């Protein structure tokens, strides 16, 4: 409770309704590829955070609406995307590569070199 | 609000949404008359429609599409947006595991019916940051104007 009072900003953020971006996640031997749909977010309003073992994607949709625009019908009803993922320790968060184009975020999270697969020789004693 | 909660792919209602979809397939959409072109929630691309005195503006949230592969047509008062989105799945990689596959791939098509006062010859479409913004102007004769009193 005290902790919450100490940080009203995160509490306020947690209460705002957000869009959860749809993602594809693939893993190959070298690491993980994450693709996220965040339509309407310009590059400068996209935020990527790694805190401990949590990866957080956030983005704000830039309003491109003329004055006097009246909503008639809306399937997208919030203006902020947010989604978090727990990362496992073999992933190297210091070497994440990110590309953002046409509202699609492409993240490559490589594995640590020591976590790369290697073949273990079986010797017969 | 209700629909958008159901739309969250990983939200608490995701499983409920799947159940609802299956029930709809079995029983149909009983007792809830909607638009004749209504689609199940979660259709791609998501569409918002806004209106100003001068135009009707349609926003289609279609990220990651080559604008050359987007097709926008207006025919007898119905606006159709169609196109195709390639899969993000890396090719030629052996030992690939797929943990999430929520993004739409393949062909898509959505339609919006326009009101009678719009002018299908004055349509502008701009694709930016993954959002297709289509503006259909209203007919000049339909715009509100002030009438002079003699």
């Amino acid at each position: 409770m005290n902790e919450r009072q100490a940080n009203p900003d995160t509490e306020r953020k947690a209460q705002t309704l957000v869009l959860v971006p749809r993602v594809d996640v693939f893993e190959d031997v070298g690491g993980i590829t994450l693709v996220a749909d965040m339509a309407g977010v310009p590059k400068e309003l996209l935020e990527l955070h790694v805190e401990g073992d949590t990866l957080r994607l956030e983005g704000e949709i830039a309003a491109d609406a003329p004055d006097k625009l009246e909503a008639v019908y809306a399937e997208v009803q919030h203006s902020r995307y947010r989604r978090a993922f727990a990362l496992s320790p073999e992933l190297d968060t210091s070497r994440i590569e990110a590309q953002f184009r046409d509202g699609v975020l492409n993240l490559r999270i490589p594995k640590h070199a020591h976590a790369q697969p290697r073949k273990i020789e079986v010797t017969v004693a | 609000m209700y629909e958008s909660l159901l739309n969250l792919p990983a939200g608490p209602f995701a499983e409920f949404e799947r159940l609802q979809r299956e029930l709809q397939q079995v029983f149909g959409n009983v007792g809830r008359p909607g638009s004749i072109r209504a689609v199940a929630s979660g259709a791609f691309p998501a569409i918002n429609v806004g209106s100003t005195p001068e135009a009707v503006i349609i926003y289609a949230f279609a990220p990651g599409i080559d604008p050359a592969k987007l097709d926008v047509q207006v025919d007898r008062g119905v606006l159709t947006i169609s196109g195709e989105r390639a899969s993000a799945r890396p090719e030629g990689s052996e030992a690939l595991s797929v943990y999430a596959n929520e993004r739409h791939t393949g062909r898509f098509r959505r339609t919006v019916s326009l009101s009678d006062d719009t002018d299908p010859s004055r349509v502008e479409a701009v694709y930016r940051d993954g959002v297709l913004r289509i503006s259909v102007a209203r007919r000049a004769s339909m715009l509100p104007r002030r009438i002079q009193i003699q």
Side-chain angles (χ1 to χ4, degrees):
Chain A
M1 195 67 198
N2 278 337
E3 208 178 312
R4 257 208 234 167
Q5 281 164 349
N7 202 343
D9 189 46
T10 37
E11 194 183 358
R12 185 187 53 79
K13 267 189 177 175
Q15 282 172 354
T16 332
L17 282 171
V18 292
L19 299 160
V20 177
R22 289 179 184 263
V23 297
D24 287 351
V25 180
F26 306 105
E27 176 173 8
D28 54 47
V29 287
I32 281 185
T33 305
L34 187 150
V35 187
D37 277 355
M38 297 170 93
V41 179
K43 198 169 159 241
E44 42 308 344
L45 293 180
L46 176 77
E47 292 171 46
L48 297 172
H49 300 276
V50 178
E51 290 167 18
D53 63 347
T54 305
L55 168 74
R56 203 170 78 238
L57 322 177
E58 271 190 75
E60 186 85 34
I61 297 178
D64 181 18
D67 298 340
K68 296 183 287 180
L69 184 80
E70 214 178 294
V72 177
Y73 172 72
E75 289 171 356
V76 178
Q77 300 184 345
H78 309 296
S79 63
R80 201 167 176 83
Y81 290 97
R82 188 185 309 133
R83 190 159 181 183
F85 298 89
L87 301 174
S88 49
E90 80 277 9
L91 297 170
D92 187 351
T93 51
S94 62
R95 288 193 298 141
I96 295 181
E97 282 170 36
Q99 283 176 352
F100 191 54
R101 198 186 133 91
D102 290 339
V104 176
L105 173 69
N106 227 301
L107 277 185
R108 175 72 184 167
I109 314 167
K111 289 179 192 170
H112 283 294
H114 61 75
Q116 301 271 353
R118 64 204 154 94
K119 200 170 165 104
I120 292 152
E121 292 297 328
V122 180
T123 50
V124 182
Chain B
M1 163 72 193
Y2 181 63
E3 290 269 309
S4 77
L5 271 177
L6 294 177
N7 262 336
L8 305 182
F13 294 96
E15 198 60 5
F16 180 69
E17 185 198 8
R18 186 188 59 78
L19 192 69
Q20 192 197 34
R21 214 165 37 226
E22 281 177 13
L23 284 174
Q24 269 177 9
Q25 277 168 5
V26 178
F27 299 111
N29 234 338
V30 186
R32 224 180 62 178
S35 159
I36 199 161
R37 295 195 185 86
V39 288
S41 63
F44 184 88
I47 284 178
N48 282 9
V49 182
S51 158
T52 69
E54 295 86 30
V56 174
I57 301 176
I58 296 125
Y59 298 90
F61 291 74
I65 293 168
D66 178 2
K69 284 193 177 158
L70 268 172
D71 184 40
V72 179
Q73 288 188 12
V74 182
D75 181 24
R76 276 165 277 182
V78 177
L79 177 94
T80 306
I81 303 163
S82 59
E84 187 164 6
R85 186 157 87 153
S87 168
R89 191 190 182 99
E91 271 172 40
S93 176
E94 78 249 36
L96 186 81
S97 319
V98 179
Y99 296 116
N101 195 3
E102 301 163 355
R103 298 171 65 248
H104 177 92
T105 52
R107 293 203 62 79
F108 59 86
R109 181 187 181 86
R110 286 208 70 178
T111 52
V112 176
S113 61
L114 300 169
S115 54
D116 291 341
D117 62 349
T118 52
D119 184 350
S121 63
R122 288 190 297 145
V123 183
E124 278 173 31
V126 180
Y127 185 67
R128 201 173 78 195
D129 295 329
V131 176
L132 177 67
R133 179 185 188 275
I134 304 165
S135 162
V136 188
R138 292 191 194 277
R139 287 180 208 280
S141 59
M142 301 286 191
L143 288 178
R145 67 200 155 103
R146 194 177 201 103
I147 288 144
Q148 289 291 330
I149 299 167
Q150 309 280 328

